Amino acid sequence: MAVEAPPTPAGTLAPPRRRKIPPAVLLIAPSVVFMALLLGWPVIQGILQAFRDENGFTLDFVTRMVQDPYFWPAVRNTLLLIVVMIPLQFAFAIGMALMLRTNPRLHKVHFFVWAIPLALSDLAAGLVWLAIFNDRGYLNSALSLFGIEGGSWLAYDNQASMFMCVLIAELWRATSLVLIIVVAGLQGIPKDYDEAAQVFGATFWQRLRHVTLPLLKPSLQVALILRTILAFQTFAVAQALTGQNFPLVVGETYRWYTGLQNPNVAAALALVILVVSMLTSIFYLRALRDKNQGGLR
Amino acid sequence: MADIQISNLVKTYPGGSERATDDVSLQIQDGEFTVLLGPSGCGKTTLLRMIAGLELPDSGSIAIGGRDVTYLPPNKRNLSMVFQSYAVFPHRKVRYNIGFGLRMAKVPAEEIERKVQWAADLLQLGPYLDRLPANLSGGQRQRVAVARAIVMDADVLLMDEPLSNLDALLRLTFRSELKKIVQDLGTTTVYVTHDQSEALSLGDQVAVMRKGRIAQLGDPLDVYDAPADRFVGGFIGSPPMNFMDAAVSHDGGTLVLGEQQLMAPSILRSFAGRDVLLGVRAENVTVRNERSSGDVAATVLVVEPMGSTILLTVEVDGHTLKVQAPPTFRTAPHKTIWLGFAPNTMRVYDRETSMALEAK
């Protein structure tokens, strides 16, 4: 059936009025105003706060931030956490999503249970894991049942075990976000591709590498950007587990703002997170860009 | 290349109460082109997917080239397959798609290149090798799917309704092309379709399926000429076979059709006095405006000129029949015409079981 071209809008035939605001601008205006007030203004405020004192422009706050003995450990810890955690989270999430795809018994229950951490506040998650990892926590109790003497996992001088505790707690808490994105992405891929690969002799790993992961790339990109940015902001879990003993950048921001009552240095730290997050997103968008024009099919 | 032995295959889908395939056995010779034909839900695709290893049967066995593959994963069966949806990988160029199976089998690069080139030439895909599937038409994507299947030196080539997503004209041209390619390859082929003309034109043997069982297996012309039961006759042929209730006279020499009589085929001598179901194909009825001896009177209901023939819907003693007349034949609705039935083209079926009657 032929579709008739829509009739010309009557408006274009009328004599042009003076300086009419285009409808597109009107439509987008509320979001622009909203973004400007709630995002743009605080960003500008933050920048001003970090670089200005009573006498105008200054780098004092940035210098103080960098010279603080906790700053570089915080940066190192944050980066280390990201580098170790993100690949693990993706491996877990993809593995779990592939297991769910085989439709095992009760797969909806599994999915629900695996998604629960997403509904938990990160501070609550931190407290749950504190109950597990502290000296008289569930982990040490369980170990003592087997006659093993537990350790002081969260002792201030044991960086490695503190890191492991924060890592495990964050893995538990935040992998479900990746899982949900990956599951949604997998559901969008027709099963035929995987079946075709099977019939043409591909092994499980070949199918994963040559068919599933490439087709999943758009979802992985979204998950990667979200997870990395959120990982830069890891705070409450580490705070609950280690207090100041395992400093992270956002934790430092918090300490400068509340403990040391210095909003200027806190703003400088917040800007560091903003810049790093932006650079990472740009890097991911470029690195994972679809060189092949056109989407699925 | 290899033969396929399918024995007593039973499959019930989880949650389903009916068997998707119900004790199906089928022998396919080396190099034979077998078509599984049937309406949707008859189990033909399930059967194909079990041969491919994409579904596992509840019981029964499948052997390819003498090797039991019933529960082997698909990648261990040395197959290739053309999917209904083509399943051409959208993120890879045509060249990679065609060579996919060879690459997975770690064939040397220059041999892959040579075979891809050969298949591309055969299917006229040469100019498109460096394109992405998104930039191809449906017909071209279909060719890529076929090329990907034929570059493999597979034991068995499986095709799941490969032409059903093409438009009518393309389907017709590609059908004969496909037949030639598969003939030249000589690979054992199993082809699933719901289109009876595809089945007749492509197959060395046709298995007509219904409700998970094979209703008839045979040479396409036999299946067309002598349907084993009412279902097969009604499913194959366009228009489908006509069926009428009739009775065999006491001497077995004539068929009584309401008020009228027909010469009975000789096999009916042993069924004297029985009620039967008479099956006759539209093109086996001779249509005349003047009565000839042995003719039956019919009233024309609908006249449909089809170009090469005229399709008439007529009524004979309460039965509606479709018959074919030559394009020069002139008639009109409500007119009376005369139908001549050749006894050797008539098929007779048991009224209760719908199965073909054979001379005792």
Side-chain angles (χ1 to χ4, degrees):
Chain A
M1 268 178 289
V3 178
E4 282 180 33
T8 337
T12 56
L13 295 176
R17 272 183 241 155
R18 285 174 298 122
R19 293 187 144 253
K20 199 180 155 197
I21 302 170
V25 172
L26 283 176
L27 285 170
I28 206 172
S31 344
V32 170
V33 171
F34 186 83
M35 297 279 276
L37 285 179
L38 288 175
L39 287 170
W41 180 239
V43 168
I44 293 166
Q45 271 291 311
I47 294 172
L48 291 178
Q49 217 166 18
F51 291 108
R52 211 174 59 170
D53 62 5
E54 311 85 72
N55 308 322
F57 178 80
T58 175
L59 284 174
D60 282 359
F61 303 125
V62 177
T63 319
R64 259 186 92 180
M65 170 186 83
V66 176
Q67 283 172 350
D68 184 84
Y70 282 104
F71 177 73
W72 289 112
V75 170
R76 189 202 62 202
N77 288 343
T78 308
L79 290 180
L80 189 66
L81 192 64
I82 288 174
V83 168
V84 177
M85 180 171 62
I86 302 279
L88 281 176
Q89 281 188 326
F90 275 75
F92 275 120
I94 292 169
M96 286 151 84
L98 290 175
M99 279 191 238
L100 285 176
R101 189 168 63 159
T102 59
N103 283 345
R105 239 202 269 184
L106 300 178
H107 68 275
K108 284 185 180 152
V109 177
H110 286 289
F111 182 59
F112 182 73
V113 169
W114 283 344
I116 285 178
L118 201 63
L120 229 59
S121 99
D122 44 358
L123 186 59
L127 292 175
V128 167
W129 284 96
L130 183 63
I132 294 173
F133 286 134
N134 74 35
D135 290 359
R136 294 168 182 223
Y138 293 115
L139 178 59
N140 282 349
S141 311
L143 286 176
S144 72
L145 282 182
F146 298 99
I148 305 167
E149 200 182 330
S152 291
W153 311 111
L154 299 170
Y156 71 97
D157 54 353
N158 199 343
Q159 286 287 320
S161 86
M162 272 196 297
F163 173 74
M164 283 306 293
C165 291
V166 173
L167 177 72
I168 291 170
E170 270 295 287
L171 270 180
W172 178 84
R173 190 188 68 80
T175 302
S176 48
L177 175 71
V178 187
L179 173 71
I180 285 171
I181 297 174
V182 171
V183 164
L186 274 181
Q187 280 170 352
I189 304 174
K191 265 201 153 172
D192 288 8
Y193 295 126
D194 194 55
E195 290 183 345
Q198 285 185 50
V199 168
F200 285 104
T203 62
F204 173 79
W205 295 109
Q206 283 175 321
R207 265 148 50 211
L208 190 64
R209 183 166 163 242
H210 295 288
V211 180
T212 311
L213 288 182
L215 291 174
L216 205 52
K217 207 164 81 175
S219 307
L220 292 178
Q221 189 176 24
V222 170
L224 204 52
I225 291 173
L226 269 178
R227 254 326 285 156
T228 313
I229 291 176
L230 289 174
F232 277 121
Q233 301 171 9
T234 308
F235 167 54
V237 167
Q239 187 77 19
L241 284 175
T242 69
Q244 215 54 57
N245 296 331
F246 188 76
L248 294 171
V249 181
V250 176
E252 283 305 286
T253 315
Y254 175 74
R255 186 172 65 94
W256 276 103
Y257 193 85
T258 57
L260 303 174
Q261 301 274 323
N262 190 334
N264 303 86
V265 178
L269 276 160
L271 283 182
V272 170
I273 299 164
L274 176 72
V275 170
V276 173
S277 301
M278 273 171 58
L279 290 178
T280 327
S281 311
I282 293 169
F283 167 75
Y284 281 147
L285 285 171
R286 293 190 152 260
L288 293 173
R289 179 185 296 167
D290 206 354
K291 279 160 229 125
N292 309 329
Q293 294 299 307
L296 296 183
R297 291 186 178 227
Chain B
M1 269 174 270
D3 63 321
I4 307 175
Q5 302 283 333
I6 296 167
S7 322
N8 308 98
L9 219 50
V10 176
K11 166 84 184 174
T12 312
Y13 281 107
S17 54
E18 279 179 28
R19 287 174 165 188
T21 61
D22 187 2
D23 203 21
V24 170
S25 296
L26 179 64
Q27 271 75 47
I28 297 167
Q29 302 304 316
D30 187 7
E32 199 169 38
F33 194 126
T34 299
V35 179
L36 306 177
L37 171 69
S40 51
C42 71
K44 57 191 191 299
T45 298
T46 304
L47 185 56
L48 187 84
R49 288 174 61 86
M50 284 194 285
I51 300 173
L54 297 171
E55 303 284 352
L56 297 179
D58 302 339
S59 66
S61 71
I62 303 166
I64 297 175
R67 185 171 67 121
D68 184 356
V69 300
T70 318
Y71 297 106
L72 278 188
N75 57 341
K76 300 260 159 56
R77 296 189 180 204
N78 195 19
L79 305 168
S80 62
M81 182 160 172
V82 181
F83 287 77
Q84 184 177 8
S85 64
Y86 315 147
V88 171
F89 303 120
H91 58 291
R92 290 295 199 163
K93 292 186 174 149
V94 170
R95 184 187 301 280
Y96 180 94
N97 262 295
I98 298 178
F100 180 82
L102 299 171
R103 206 172 297 251
M104 293 302 113
K106 305 217 162 59
V107 172
E110 57 268 30
E111 195 183 337
I112 296 180
E113 184 51 37
R114 193 172 52 74
K115 286 196 163 173
V116 168
Q117 201 59 52
W118 164 79
D121 289 344
L122 201 62
L123 286 148
Q124 294 136 44
L125 285 168
Y128 309 109
L129 278 176
D130 289 311
R131 283 208 203 173
L132 281 169
N135 304 328
L136 297 179
S137 70
Q140 287 163 340
R141 257 178 264 178
Q142 173 65 304
R143 285 165 183 274
V144 175
V146 172
R148 179 174 66 178
I150 64 170
V151 290
M152 308 286 294
D153 285 320
D155 287 337
V156 174
L157 178 58
L158 305 173
M159 301 201 196
D160 185 7
E161 309 210 20
L163 304 181
S164 61
N165 285 344
L166 301 179
D167 65 59
L169 193 63
L170 208 53
R171 197 179 309 163
L172 210 61
T173 48
F174 198 46
R175 189 170 81 191
S176 42
E177 211 176 314
L178 196 62
K179 182 163 188 172
K180 181 169 187 328
I181 289 171
V182 175
Q183 252 167 12
D184 293 348
L185 281 177
T187 313
T188 312
T189 305
V190 184
Y191 185 106
V192 161
T193 183
H194 61 263
D195 180 338
Q196 48 93 19
S197 61
E198 240 169 63
L200 295 177
S201 65
L202 288 171
D204 295 327
Q205 69 170 351
V206 176
V208 187
M209 292 188 67
R210 181 198 191 194
K211 289 186 180 166
R213 288 171 172 272
I214 294 179
Q216 188 173 6
L217 174 69
D219 176 88
L221 290 180
D222 285 347
V223 174
Y224 181 84
D225 279 338
D229 63 16
R230 185 176 184 158
F231 164 76
V232 176
F235 190 73
I236 290 187
S238 171
M241 191 175 240
N242 297 299
F243 290 98
M244 294 170 282
D245 287 339
V248 186
S249 65
H250 288 289
D251 60 359
T254 50
L255 271 166
V256 184
L257 207 67
E259 310 276 294
Q260 313 194 57
Q261 291 201 339
L262 283 175
M263 271 271 281
S266 54
I267 65 154
L268 284 182
R269 302 245 184 271
S270 47
F271 296 99
R274 265 184 69 168
D275 285 342
V276 294
L277 192 66
L278 176 65
V280 64
R281 292 238 174 247
E283 67 271 24
N284 291 334
V285 179
T286 320
V287 182
R288 283 181 277 261
N289 273 322
E290 265 82 53
R291 180 171 190 176
S292 170
S293 74
D295 276 6
V296 171
T299 313
V300 178
L301 297 176
V302 184
V303 181
E304 293 172 88
M306 309 295 281
S308 58
T309 57
I310 297 176
L311 188 63
L312 302 174
T313 308
V314 300
E315 192 185 298
V316 178
D317 283 301
H319 298 285
T320 308
L321 265 61
K322 298 249 187 217
V323 298
Q324 269 181 12
T328 51
F329 189 78
R330 290 290 168 264
T331 186
H334 312 303
K335 278 198 179 170
T336 299
I337 56 170
W338 298 91
L339 308 179
F341 294 81
N344 60 344
T345 62
M346 284 186 227
R347 303 289 167 238
V348 278
Y349 299 88
D350 186 293
R351 263 198 223 173
E352 259 87 62
T353 64
S354 298
M355 301 300 283
L357 294 176
E358 278 159 41
K360 282 180 197 163

